Amino acid sequence: MTVLTTQRLVLREWTEDPADLARLFDIYSRPEVARWLGAPGLPLTDPAQAVDRLAIWRERHAGHGGRYGIWAIEVRDTGVVVGSVLLQPLPGRDEGTLTEDIEVGWHLHPDSWGHGYATEAGGAAAARELAAGTREVYAVVAPGNEASMAVARRHDPCGPPLGLVRRRVPGDLRAARSLLTRPTTRPAPAVRSAWRSW
């Protein structure tokens, strides 16, 4: 099922099609991708784990009526899946209770880095959430992941970021991470970037 489309991309549900599962495994088995995610069970070590990962994602977002999820990013012209984009509520301090803070994120295969796919897919997902009435969408980025931080900075619909402030992301027991924000005199929705592992 298609969730969103952009000029170059189709954001759609991951499926149990063998090609989708193979690509999902290829992306999430790579240390250069998994190192930034901090999720249990990554990197994947067996192709059968792709089915399990897909089931976890579906269960996590089953009650959200399609508003939130982790979706495949497919290039329209080629049909190649280049990665995942996610839109989901952030967990609270107990890591179980979801908050009203919404996260946008992206996980791309290294062969798809540097083409602007993360910016395009993440921007579309964030714009959809902002149009639904959410005031802020957080791009949660692991410390040291400068490429993803650069993508997050490009998502600010109000213009280039004007400053960095410190904030502890709920559930993160490590030191407070940088949160990208811009001071404004008018209320405006914004995409904000916070350091945190997923």
PDB file of all heavy atoms in Angstrom, residues 121-148:
ATOM      1  N   ALA A 121      12.206  11.925   1.386  1.00  0.00           N
ATOM      2  CA  ALA A 121      11.265  11.043   2.079  1.00  0.00           C
ATOM      3  C   ALA A 121      10.943  11.563   3.480  1.00  0.00           C
ATOM      4  O   ALA A 121       9.769  11.618   3.874  1.00  0.00           O
ATOM      5  CB  ALA A 121      11.833   9.627   2.170  1.00  0.00           C
ATOM      6  N   GLY A 122      11.966  11.940   4.233  1.00  0.00           N
ATOM      7  CA  GLY A 122      11.744  12.462   5.579  1.00  0.00           C
ATOM      8  C   GLY A 122      10.939  13.748   5.565  1.00  0.00           C
ATOM      9  O   GLY A 122      10.051  13.951   6.388  1.00  0.00           O
ATOM     10  N   GLY A 123      11.224  14.613   4.600  1.00  0.00           N
ATOM     11  CA  GLY A 123      10.483  15.866   4.480  1.00  0.00           C
ATOM     12  C   GLY A 123       9.016  15.636   4.167  1.00  0.00           C
ATOM     13  O   GLY A 123       8.137  16.302   4.710  1.00  0.00           O
ATOM     14  N   ALA A 124       8.740  14.668   3.291  1.00  0.00           N
ATOM     15  CA  ALA A 124       7.344  14.359   2.942  1.00  0.00           C
ATOM     16  C   ALA A 124       6.589  13.787   4.137  1.00  0.00           C
ATOM     17  O   ALA A 124       5.443  14.164   4.396  1.00  0.00           O
ATOM     18  CB  ALA A 124       7.298  13.384   1.771  1.00  0.00           C
ATOM     19  N   ALA A 125       7.235  12.879   4.865  1.00  0.00           N
ATOM     20  CA  ALA A 125       6.584  12.285   6.042  1.00  0.00           C
ATOM     21  C   ALA A 125       6.331  13.346   7.110  1.00  0.00           C
ATOM     22  O   ALA A 125       5.249  13.405   7.699  1.00  0.00           O
ATOM     23  CB  ALA A 125       7.435  11.142   6.600  1.00  0.00           C
ATOM     24  N   ALA A 126       7.324  14.203   7.352  1.00  0.00           N
ATOM     25  CA  ALA A 126       7.155  15.266   8.348  1.00  0.00           C
ATOM     26  C   ALA A 126       6.079  16.253   7.917  1.00  0.00           C
ATOM     27  O   ALA A 126       5.254  16.668   8.737  1.00  0.00           O
ATOM     28  CB  ALA A 126       8.488  15.983   8.579  1.00  0.00           C
ATOM     29  N   ALA A 127       6.063  16.615   6.642  1.00  0.00           N
ATOM     30  CA  ALA A 127       5.050  17.563   6.153  1.00  0.00           C
ATOM     31  C   ALA A 127       3.644  17.005   6.324  1.00  0.00           C
ATOM     32  O   ALA A 127       2.717  17.734   6.696  1.00  0.00           O
ATOM     33  CB  ALA A 127       5.319  17.897   4.686  1.00  0.00           C
ATOM     34  N   ARG A 128       3.486  15.717   6.074  1.00  0.00           N
ATOM     35  CA  ARG A 128       2.169  15.098   6.260  1.00  0.00           C
ATOM     36  C   ARG A 128       1.740  15.191   7.720  1.00  0.00           C
ATOM     37  O   ARG A 128       0.586  15.501   8.024  1.00  0.00           O
ATOM     38  CB  ARG A 128       2.198  13.644   5.808  1.00  0.00           C
ATOM     39  CG  ARG A 128       0.827  12.998   5.890  1.00  0.00           C
ATOM     40  CD  ARG A 128       0.853  11.567   5.465  1.00  0.00           C
ATOM     41  NE  ARG A 128       1.155  10.731   6.619  1.00  0.00           N
ATOM     42  CZ  ARG A 128       0.882   9.433   6.676  1.00  0.00           C
ATOM     43  NH1 ARG A 128       0.368   8.813   5.644  1.00  0.00           N
ATOM     44  NH2 ARG A 128       1.158   8.744   7.746  1.00  0.00           N
ATOM     45  N   GLU A 129       2.668  14.921   8.644  1.00  0.00           N
ATOM     46  CA  GLU A 129       2.336  14.978  10.066  1.00  0.00           C
ATOM     47  C   GLU A 129       2.035  16.406  10.507  1.00  0.00           C
ATOM     48  O   GLU A 129       1.108  16.650  11.280  1.00  0.00           O
ATOM     49  CB  GLU A 129       3.471  14.375  10.902  1.00  0.00           C
ATOM     50  CG  GLU A 129       3.178  14.315  12.375  1.00  0.00           C
ATOM     51  CD  GLU A 129       1.995  13.423  12.741  1.00  0.00           C
ATOM     52  OE1 GLU A 129       1.558  12.574  11.926  1.00  0.00           O
ATOM     53  OE2 GLU A 129       1.481  13.573  13.868  1.00  0.00           O
ATOM     54  N   LEU A 130       2.811  17.363  10.021  1.00  0.00           N
ATOM     55  CA  LEU A 130       2.557  18.761  10.364  1.00  0.00           C
ATOM     56  C   LEU A 130       1.204  19.213   9.818  1.00  0.00           C
ATOM     57  O   LEU A 130       0.472  19.942  10.484  1.00  0.00           O
ATOM     58  CB  LEU A 130       3.685  19.647   9.832  1.00  0.00           C
ATOM     59  CG  LEU A 130       5.049  19.418  10.487  1.00  0.00           C
ATOM     60  CD1 LEU A 130       6.146  20.141   9.711  1.00  0.00           C
ATOM     61  CD2 LEU A 130       5.054  19.837  11.952  1.00  0.00           C
ATOM     62  N   ALA A 131       0.844  18.757   8.634  1.00  0.00           N
ATOM     63  CA  ALA A 131      -0.458  19.096   8.049  1.00  0.00           C
ATOM     64  C   ALA A 131      -1.605  18.498   8.856  1.00  0.00           C
ATOM     65  O   ALA A 131      -2.717  19.034   8.850  1.00  0.00           O
ATOM     66  CB  ALA A 131      -0.517  18.613   6.599  1.00  0.00           C
ATOM     67  N   ALA A 132      -1.324  17.418   9.593  1.00  0.00           N
ATOM     68  CA  ALA A 132      -2.345  16.786  10.433  1.00  0.00           C
ATOM     69  C   ALA A 132      -2.528  17.527  11.760  1.00  0.00           C
ATOM     70  O   ALA A 132      -3.378  17.152  12.561  1.00  0.00           O
ATOM     71  CB  ALA A 132      -1.983  15.324  10.696  1.00  0.00           C
ATOM     72  N   GLY A 133      -1.710  18.562  11.988  1.00  0.00           N
ATOM     73  CA  GLY A 133      -1.881  19.382  13.180  1.00  0.00           C
ATOM     74  C   GLY A 133      -0.792  19.263  14.230  1.00  0.00           C
ATOM     75  O   GLY A 133      -0.813  19.993  15.227  1.00  0.00           O
ATOM     76  N   THR A 134       0.150  18.378  14.051  1.00  0.00           N
ATOM     77  CA  THR A 134       1.261  18.274  14.994  1.00  0.00           C
ATOM     78  C   THR A 134       2.131  19.516  14.866  1.00  0.00           C
ATOM     79  O   THR A 134       2.445  19.943  13.753  1.00  0.00           O
ATOM     80  CB  THR A 134       2.086  17.003  14.704  1.00  0.00           C
ATOM     81  OG1 THR A 134       1.239  15.870  14.874  1.00  0.00           O
ATOM     82  CG2 THR A 134       3.287  16.888  15.624  1.00  0.00           C
ATOM     83  N   ARG A 135       2.507  20.131  15.999  1.00  0.00           N
ATOM     84  CA  ARG A 135       3.279  21.382  15.956  1.00  0.00           C
ATOM     85  C   ARG A 135       4.761  21.174  15.678  1.00  0.00           C
ATOM     86  O   ARG A 135       5.390  22.040  15.097  1.00  0.00           O
ATOM     87  CB  ARG A 135       3.117  22.142  17.279  1.00  0.00           C
ATOM     88  CG  ARG A 135       1.740  22.674  17.449  1.00  0.00           C
ATOM     89  CD  ARG A 135       1.589  24.138  17.790  1.00  0.00           C
ATOM     90  NE  ARG A 135       2.751  24.915  18.060  1.00  0.00           N
ATOM     91  CZ  ARG A 135       3.236  25.833  17.222  1.00  0.00           C
ATOM     92  NH1 ARG A 135       2.704  26.024  16.047  1.00  0.00           N
ATOM     93  NH2 ARG A 135       4.276  26.556  17.554  1.00  0.00           N
ATOM     94  N   GLU A 136       5.312  20.073  16.134  1.00  0.00           N
ATOM     95  CA  GLU A 136       6.733  19.814  15.938  1.00  0.00           C
ATOM     96  C   GLU A 136       6.937  18.338  15.637  1.00  0.00           C
ATOM     97  O   GLU A 136       6.234  17.489  16.177  1.00  0.00           O
ATOM     98  CB  GLU A 136       7.545  20.161  17.193  1.00  0.00           C
ATOM     99  CG  GLU A 136       7.532  21.625  17.529  1.00  0.00           C
ATOM    100  CD  GLU A 136       8.261  21.922  18.821  1.00  0.00           C
ATOM    101  OE1 GLU A 136       8.182  21.098  19.748  1.00  0.00           O
ATOM    102  OE2 GLU A 136       8.905  22.969  18.885  1.00  0.00           O
ATOM    103  N   VAL A 137       7.894  18.070  14.788  1.00  0.00           N
ATOM    104  CA  VAL A 137       8.299  16.712  14.483  1.00  0.00           C
ATOM    105  C   VAL A 137       9.800  16.646  14.740  1.00  0.00           C
ATOM    106  O   VAL A 137      10.548  17.504  14.269  1.00  0.00           O
ATOM    107  CB  VAL A 137       7.984  16.342  13.012  1.00  0.00           C
ATOM    108  CG1 VAL A 137       8.526  14.973  12.683  1.00  0.00           C
ATOM    109  CG2 VAL A 137       6.477  16.399  12.763  1.00  0.00           C
ATOM    110  N   TYR A 138      10.215  15.644  15.493  1.00  0.00           N
ATOM    111  CA  TYR A 138      11.614  15.514  15.877  1.00  0.00           C
ATOM    112  C   TYR A 138      12.337  14.544  14.952  1.00  0.00           C
ATOM    113  O   TYR A 138      11.844  13.448  14.698  1.00  0.00           O
ATOM    114  CB  TYR A 138      11.730  14.999  17.311  1.00  0.00           C
ATOM    115  CG  TYR A 138      11.236  16.001  18.327  1.00  0.00           C
ATOM    116  CD1 TYR A 138       9.891  16.056  18.678  1.00  0.00           C
ATOM    117  CD2 TYR A 138      12.110  16.897  18.910  1.00  0.00           C
ATOM    118  CE1 TYR A 138       9.431  16.982  19.585  1.00  0.00           C
ATOM    119  CE2 TYR A 138      11.664  17.831  19.825  1.00  0.00           C
ATOM    120  CZ  TYR A 138      10.323  17.869  20.153  1.00  0.00           C
ATOM    121  OH  TYR A 138       9.881  18.795  21.047  1.00  0.00           O
ATOM    122  N   ALA A 139      13.490  14.939  14.479  1.00  0.00           N
ATOM    123  CA  ALA A 139      14.389  14.039  13.770  1.00  0.00           C
ATOM    124  C   ALA A 139      15.427  13.604  14.795  1.00  0.00           C
ATOM    125  O   ALA A 139      16.253  14.403  15.225  1.00  0.00           O
ATOM    126  CB  ALA A 139      15.042  14.743  12.586  1.00  0.00           C
ATOM    127  N   VAL A 140      15.349  12.374  15.223  1.00  0.00           N
ATOM    128  CA  VAL A 140      16.195  11.868  16.307  1.00  0.00           C
ATOM    129  C   VAL A 140      17.426  11.213  15.686  1.00  0.00           C
ATOM    130  O   VAL A 140      17.304  10.254  14.939  1.00  0.00           O
ATOM    131  CB  VAL A 140      15.410  10.874  17.191  1.00  0.00           C
ATOM    132  CG1 VAL A 140      16.272  10.373  18.327  1.00  0.00           C
ATOM    133  CG2 VAL A 140      14.150  11.542  17.731  1.00  0.00           C
ATOM    134  N   VAL A 141      18.600  11.773  15.991  1.00  0.00           N
ATOM    135  CA  VAL A 141      19.840  11.379  15.328  1.00  0.00           C
ATOM    136  C   VAL A 141      20.881  10.980  16.370  1.00  0.00           C
ATOM    137  O   VAL A 141      21.066  11.680  17.362  1.00  0.00           O
ATOM    138  CB  VAL A 141      20.374  12.546  14.470  1.00  0.00           C
ATOM    139  CG1 VAL A 141      21.671  12.173  13.780  1.00  0.00           C
ATOM    140  CG2 VAL A 141      19.328  13.000  13.457  1.00  0.00           C
ATOM    141  N   ALA A 142      21.556   9.853  16.132  1.00  0.00           N
ATOM    142  CA  ALA A 142      22.596   9.381  17.053  1.00  0.00           C
ATOM    143  C   ALA A 142      23.787  10.339  17.036  1.00  0.00           C
ATOM    144  O   ALA A 142      24.133  10.881  15.983  1.00  0.00           O
ATOM    145  CB  ALA A 142      23.048   7.979  16.659  1.00  0.00           C
ATOM    146  N   PRO A 143      24.424  10.538  18.181  1.00  0.00           N
ATOM    147  CA  PRO A 143      25.612  11.394  18.231  1.00  0.00           C
ATOM    148  C   PRO A 143      26.668  10.891  17.242  1.00  0.00           C
ATOM    149  O   PRO A 143      26.922   9.706  17.139  1.00  0.00           O
ATOM    150  CB  PRO A 143      26.101  11.239  19.672  1.00  0.00           C
ATOM    151  CG  PRO A 143      24.892  10.803  20.434  1.00  0.00           C
ATOM    152  CD  PRO A 143      24.077   9.979  19.481  1.00  0.00           C
ATOM    153  N   GLY A 144      27.240  11.822  16.490  1.00  0.00           N
ATOM    154  CA  GLY A 144      28.285  11.487  15.534  1.00  0.00           C
ATOM    155  C   GLY A 144      27.777  11.217  14.133  1.00  0.00           C
ATOM    156  O   GLY A 144      28.565  11.153  13.194  1.00  0.00           O
ATOM    157  N   ASN A 145      26.469  11.063  13.959  1.00  0.00           N
ATOM    158  CA  ASN A 145      25.917  10.778  12.639  1.00  0.00           C
ATOM    159  C   ASN A 145      25.702  12.102  11.906  1.00  0.00           C
ATOM    160  O   ASN A 145      24.580  12.600  11.786  1.00  0.00           O
ATOM    161  CB  ASN A 145      24.617   9.981  12.758  1.00  0.00           C
ATOM    162  CG  ASN A 145      24.130   9.465  11.433  1.00  0.00           C
ATOM    163  OD1 ASN A 145      24.561   9.907  10.383  1.00  0.00           O
ATOM    164  ND2 ASN A 145      23.198   8.523  11.490  1.00  0.00           N
ATOM    165  N   GLU A 146      26.787  12.657  11.428  1.00  0.00           N
ATOM    166  CA  GLU A 146      26.748  13.983  10.805  1.00  0.00           C
ATOM    167  C   GLU A 146      25.920  14.002   9.524  1.00  0.00           C
ATOM    168  O   GLU A 146      25.269  15.004   9.221  1.00  0.00           O
ATOM    169  CB  GLU A 146      28.165  14.485  10.541  1.00  0.00           C
ATOM    170  CG  GLU A 146      28.978  14.715  11.806  1.00  0.00           C
ATOM    171  CD  GLU A 146      28.310  15.680  12.779  1.00  0.00           C
ATOM    172  OE1 GLU A 146      27.704  16.682  12.332  1.00  0.00           O
ATOM    173  OE2 GLU A 146      28.388  15.433  13.998  1.00  0.00           O
ATOM    174  N   ALA A 147      25.920  12.909   8.764  1.00  0.00           N
ATOM    175  CA  ALA A 147      25.129  12.878   7.526  1.00  0.00           C
ATOM    176  C   ALA A 147      23.640  13.013   7.832  1.00  0.00           C
ATOM    177  O   ALA A 147      22.927  13.784   7.189  1.00  0.00           O
ATOM    178  CB  ALA A 147      25.413  11.600   6.747  1.00  0.00           C
ATOM    179  N   SER A 148      23.155  12.274   8.835  1.00  0.00           N
ATOM    180  CA  SER A 148      21.740  12.379   9.198  1.00  0.00           C
ATOM    181  C   SER A 148      21.421  13.722   9.841  1.00  0.00           C
ATOM    182  O   SER A 148      20.326  14.258   9.664  1.00  0.00           O
ATOM    183  CB  SER A 148      21.331  11.233  10.123  1.00  0.00           C
ATOM    184  OG  SER A 148      21.095  10.074   9.370  1.00  0.00           O
TER     185      SER A 148
END
